[in-house]
Every structure is written in C-alpha cells, then in structure tokens.
Amino acid sequence: MYTALRLQRTLKRDEARIVVVDPEPYMTYQPFLPEAAAGSISPRHVVVPLRRVLDRCQVVIGEATAIDHAKRTATIRTLATEEEGTGAVEVEYDELVLAPGSVSRTLPVPGLAEYGIGFKTVEEAIGLRNHVLEQLDIASSTRDPAVRDAALTFVFVGGGYAGVEALAELEDMARYAARYYHNLSPEDMKWILVEATGRILPEVGEDMGRYAVRELRNRNIDVRLETRLDSCEDRVAVLSDGSRFPTRTLVWTAGVKPNPVLAATDLPLNERGRLVCTAALRVEGVEHAWAAGDAAAIPDRTAKKPGTECAPNAQHAVRQAKVLAENIAASLRGEPVKDYEHAYVGSVASLGLHKGVAHVYGRKLKGYPAWFMHRAYHLSRVPTFNRKARVLAEWTLSGLFKREIVSLGSLENPRGEFELAAGTGRHNETT
C-alpha cells in the first residue's frame, strides 16, 4: 500500500497504470493489534481502506495463486471468479512488485491446529478479545472447578512483540474487567508466557528484555524462558519442563514465515523462502521484478557484518516502500536507481496501559516514558491524517472514560440468531 500510494503521487496518469492485488480491501497496521484486542482502539481504525487511499490505482480484491515472471503473468483468484466458477484469471504486467508480507509460522505440535489462536490479523485480535471476555463469563457461571480453572488459564507461546504485547494488553483488560464479576478476582487468573529462548523482546536489548520479564512477573504473569510447547491436545498445554495447564486459550505467536505465494513463483528464493534482492530492492538477477518488506531478503548496508539482511519489521518495510516507489519511477524514466540504506534506530514495546520498554538511539526507557514513546511513534507512522486523528481521539476518550468490557462474540456467527428464529419460531411467541 505504501509503495502504491507513493507511486500514484509520483507518476503521471499517462505514465503507468497501477494495479494492486490483495485478498483484503484494507491494509492492517499490525502494531495496533494489541490495543485493538484490549479495546483501546476501534478495529476499523487499525485498518486503512485501500480504495479510499489508492484512488488513482485499480484495486483488485483477490489472491495471487501463481506468478510466471518469464511470461509476465500473474494468476489471480477473486470473489467473482469463485462465484462464476470460471477459475482463476491471468493478468499481464510489465513491472512486478511483490510485498505479500508474512504468515504465522506453525510447528507440528499435537493439538495446535485444533485449539491454537493466531495474532496476525485484526479479525484474530478482535476474536481473541471476545474469547477472553467469554472465558470470564464461563468462569463466573460454572460450578465445575475444572472448567473454571481452564477458562481462567491463558497461555501465550512466543516472546516477541506480538506475544508480549498481546498478553500484556489483554491481561490489563481482563484484570480491569474482573472487578465487574461478583465471584472473580485478578488473582484467580493464570497468565503464562512460553518462550523457547532465554530472553523476550530481543529487539529492545538484553537489559530492557530483563526489565520486561521482571515487570510481567510482578503482575503475577508466569514467564517461562527456555521452554517449549510440546502438546496442547484435549485443551491441555504440556510444556517441555513437564508442566501441564488445562486451558481454553492458547495463543500462538512463535514466529512468522514468508507468504506461501512466493513458492508459487519462478523467482529466486533464499534458504528461508524469502526473495533474494539487491540493495536497490530489485529481485536479484531478474529484470522488472521488485520486492520489499517481510518477503524480501535485502542486504543491510549499515551492518558491520557482511551478509547481514534487513530485519523483517515495519521500521524497514515502510522506509523500503518509499525507496522502492522512487526506484520504480526512476527505472520507468530511464534514470538511475538508488540503494536502500537505513540504520536501525531501536525499538519500542507496550506492556499494557502506561507501561512499556524502549531502546531508541542508544537510550533505554521504561515505564510511562517508554509507553508514551510507543504511542507517539506509532501514531506518527500510521498512514493518512484521517487515521491519525481518529486514533488520537480514541486514546483521548479512553483516558476520560472507563474501558468497554463487552464481548461481541456473536459477530463471528451473525446468522446464528436468525437461524435459531427460523428453526424454532421463537420470535412468534408472545412474552
């Protein structure tokens, strides 16, 4: 989206036709997913509608299933092709930009596919919020101690940004919500973070990582380092240290992998399945193919160690998009392209309301200053003034009023009520 946005501003209307293909009609600003899950931001303000922002582009809501760059064609499946039953269509192109991002990386853990919950999309974030609040309802109304214990046990696997921020924000929300249940208290809940390595949040540095562990443990969150999830069959999380936790909530955030569409191309991939690219963001050894973001293995020109690649994160991706658009425009006009070069400035992470850690420009911050920097940074990066204003307004209002703790789980099955009414005639009864 960032690349197309800059291209439509850079290129004249008669220079090129820009076609954007995406399975969703919006771009998700993923750093805001934990706050959306906690209810601090409305879900519709975490996403940017493509058709509104890319008004000079042709937006196709569909999925690229294969790309034959030798023939300059992409095979695309859309909602219309499914309705028509005609199969996918082939679209010809002159220049190809691949930026499909990444998907959750799962492992063959028994029971994970059946009971695991991801945290990569806005739908998953809101579904998880509804799920956590529903567990409080279950625990409050059941008379079975085993059901209550499983409902109040929340296991998060993965100590990176997604896992730590999601756990911290949801624990904050659940602790606040518990005050409205007559028979629940925050001490009844078990929150467990499982991390296979010896540290969490490696991006913020070792010292801030240790601080984050202490902060979470001070909130009675059980942080298990150098521990793996061995199984979650029958809703029981079995850890490599021998612990067993009956749980109805298992959130999997243990890493990502390149989008599967890359494997359906004839372009060169590295051992991790990412596109091999030059510093100018071209696919190496291939003309008229470009890439950026998580899907691209781009050399880090600022690293001291040769062969280092840019980290697959938003800080690089947003900046790469700017250079990529400028290079495509320059290439079309026969002008020289430039290399992408950006020194990593650091990282910020939220640990819940008014709590956070940051390591930026060599300076270490924690607590409220880090949390404030986290919000300020991401507010400056979320695209469009419209979104910035709406997010800022929501933060302001959430500071003045109480949290919303309602679960809208029925949104995931919107026809349920009508199907019930149609099947039983309950709405015809007089009450």
Side-chain angles (χ1 to χ4, degrees):
M1 190 214 72
Y2 281 98
T3 303
L5 181 62
R6 195 164 188 87
L7 275 175
Q8 74 175 13
R9 292 172 178 171
T10 305
L11 298 174
K12 297 176 182 177
R13 290 185 182 273
D14 58 351
E15 278 190 279
R17 181 166 65 99
I18 306 167
V19 180
V20 178
V21 180
D22 196 276
E24 304 294 345
Y26 52 78
M27 185 212 74
T28 304
Y29 190 74
Q30 291 189 349
F32 279 160
L33 288 182
E35 293 205 50
S40 300
I41 301 177
S42 171
R44 66 184 183 278
H45 298 157
V46 178
V47 299
V48 182
L50 297 181
R51 295 188 190 280
R52 175 183 291 179
V53 176
L54 304 177
D55 55 331
R56 288 179 52 194
C57 300
Q58 178 186 346
V59 178
V60 177
I61 305 306
E63 185 178 2
T65 57
I67 294 172
D68 188 341
H69 190 64
K71 296 180 180 178
R72 302 284 198 279
T73 60
T75 305
I76 298 172
R77 184 174 61 237
T78 69
L79 295 176
T81 58
E82 291 182 7
E83 287 291 326
E84 295 165 356
T86 55
V89 296
E90 282 196 352
V91 176
E92 295 182 350
Y93 61 82
D94 298 300
E95 301 284 337
L96 173 68
V97 176
L98 268 173
S102 55
V103 298
S104 295
R105 176 175 59 87
T106 59
L107 298 176
V109 176
L112 179 61
E114 291 79 14
Y115 302 112
I117 303 171
F119 200 76
K120 280 283 290 177
T121 67
V122 67
E123 293 86 359
E124 288 175 327
I126 304 311
L128 183 57
R129 168 185 169 81
N130 292 331
H131 175 82
V132 168
L133 291 173
E134 284 172 1
Q135 300 316 299
L136 301 187
D137 291 332
I138 291 171
S140 175
S141 55
T142 185
R143 296 181 180 180
D144 188 329
V147 172
R148 177 186 169 95
D149 185 55
L152 294 179
T153 301
F154 307 93
V155 179
F156 286 68
V157 182
Y161 277 127
V164 172
E165 291 192 336
L167 181 148
E169 291 283 358
L170 285 164
E171 189 274 339
D172 227 6
M173 179 202 70
R175 184 160 23 87
Y176 176 85
R179 69 179 68 180
Y180 295 101
Y181 291 82
H182 71 283
N183 57 350
L184 293 183
S185 70
E187 290 71 29
D188 296 331
M189 294 182 276
K190 295 178 188 173
W191 295 83
I192 302 150
L193 177 64
V194 180
E195 169 54 41
T197 66
R199 56 193 286 198
I200 66 172
L201 297 174
E203 297 88 351
V204 298
E206 197 168 339
D207 290 343
M208 289 296 94
R210 283 197 294 266
Y211 167 80
V213 170
R214 291 197 303 271
E215 169 68 22
L216 294 176
R217 286 175 173 165
N218 287 340
R219 288 159 58 178
N220 291 323
I221 295 172
D222 186 353
V223 181
R224 306 272 178 127
L225 301 178
E226 297 182 346
T227 308
R228 298 178 310 279
L229 175 70
D230 284 346
S231 168
C232 56
E233 289 182 302
D234 302 321
R235 293 188 181 275
V236 177
V238 180
L239 307 185
S240 59
D241 61 5
S243 304
R244 295 171 61 88
F245 296 99
T247 178
R248 295 175 56 87
T249 309
L250 189 136
V251 183
W252 180 268
T253 61
V256 295
K257 63 181 180 181
N259 193 295
V261 71
L262 300 183
T265 72
D266 54 352
L267 300 172
L269 306 178
N270 67 5
E271 65 281 358
R272 295 185 179 180
R274 299 166 73 192
L275 290 164
V276 181
C277 296
T278 68
L281 308 178
R282 291 183 187 270
V283 177
E284 196 168 84
V286 181
E287 292 292 325
H288 309 292
W290 313 76
D294 288 8
I298 296 166
D300 189 347
R301 299 289 297 273
T302 65
K304 296 178 181 177
K305 185 180 177 182
T308 303
E309 297 172 358
C310 294
N313 56 38
Q315 185 177 146
H316 279 301
V318 172
R319 288 173 170 84
Q320 286 168 5
K322 177 183 176 182
V323 176
L324 176 54
E326 291 173 352
N327 281 354
I328 293 173
S331 175
L332 293 177
R333 294 166 179 169
E335 300 170 358
V337 298
K338 62 181 180 181
D339 289 345
Y340 171 75
E341 188 172 325
H342 169 68
Y344 194 63
V345 299
S347 299
V348 290
S350 169
L351 298 178
L353 191 63
H354 301 157
K355 298 175 281 289
V357 289
H359 190 182
V360 183
Y361 292 113
R363 299 192 63 180
K364 300 173 184 177
L365 300 173
K366 56 188 178 182
Y368 185 89
W371 171 83
F372 182 82
M373 178 173 284
H374 173 269
R375 282 200 162 182
Y377 173 77
H378 287 302
L379 184 65
S380 71
R381 292 300 169 185
V382 68
T384 78
F385 176 79
N386 179 301
R387 283 291 171 276
K388 295 181 198 295
R390 288 176 183 271
V391 169
L392 183 59
E394 285 199 311
W395 281 342
T396 304
L397 291 173
S398 65
L400 298 175
F401 300 101
K402 295 181 179 180
R403 282 180 185 256
E404 294 289 351
I405 57 165
V406 65
S407 166
L408 296 176
S410 57
L411 286 176
E412 295 159 34
N413 184 22
R415 293 195 68 245
E417 178 70 13
F418 183 78
E419 289 171 350
L420 180 64
T424 64
R426 57 180 282 188
H427 284 190
N428 293 328
E429 298 173 3
T430 6
T431 56

